[in-house]
Amino acid sequence: VAGDDWTEEEANGVILRLLRLLDDSLAGLTPDELRDAALAIGDARPEIAVKLLRVARMLRPDGALIRRKLAEFESLLEQRRS
């Protein structure tokens, strides 16, 4: 859909603003919460979902669902670039 694409800078800005809003509560984010947030926005904003899933993967590197969904969203983004 035209107008729905975000630049990397815009996506990073949104994530930064979100993290600033979370401030102290950021330390309490779990891999499950990051994964669930990524899945909730993945259809509309897969580029942000990828970033959230990458953080979740850092916190839980052996998480099968995190790794699978990350691969799916990365593949989707690659297809969109082609």
Side-chain angles (χ1 to χ4, degrees):
V1 177
D4 281 351
D5 293 334
W6 288 9
T7 66
E8 176 126 9
E9 184 176 332
E10 290 169 328
N12 288 341
V14 169
I15 291 171
L16 182 60
R17 284 192 299 278
L18 174 63
L19 294 178
R20 284 185 181 144
L21 289 172
L22 295 172
D23 197 25
D24 292 333
S25 63
L26 177 60
L29 284 176
T30 67
D32 290 340
E33 292 168 328
L34 291 164
R35 179 204 61 216
D36 292 347
L39 297 180
I41 65 165
D43 289 336
R45 299 284 186 243
E47 67 281 359
I48 294 175
V50 164
K51 291 177 184 214
L52 292 170
L53 287 167
R54 286 179 179 161
V55 174
R57 183 183 60 188
M58 285 189 277
L59 297 172
R60 185 181 295 150
D62 296 326
L65 180 57
I66 291 169
R67 292 172 67 154
R68 187 175 81 240
K69 296 309 281 186
L70 178 57
E72 288 176 18
F73 285 121
E74 286 175 333
S75 176
L76 174 66
L77 289 176
E78 185 60 34
Q79 289 173 9
R80 287 185 179 181
R81 287 185 202 117
S82 304

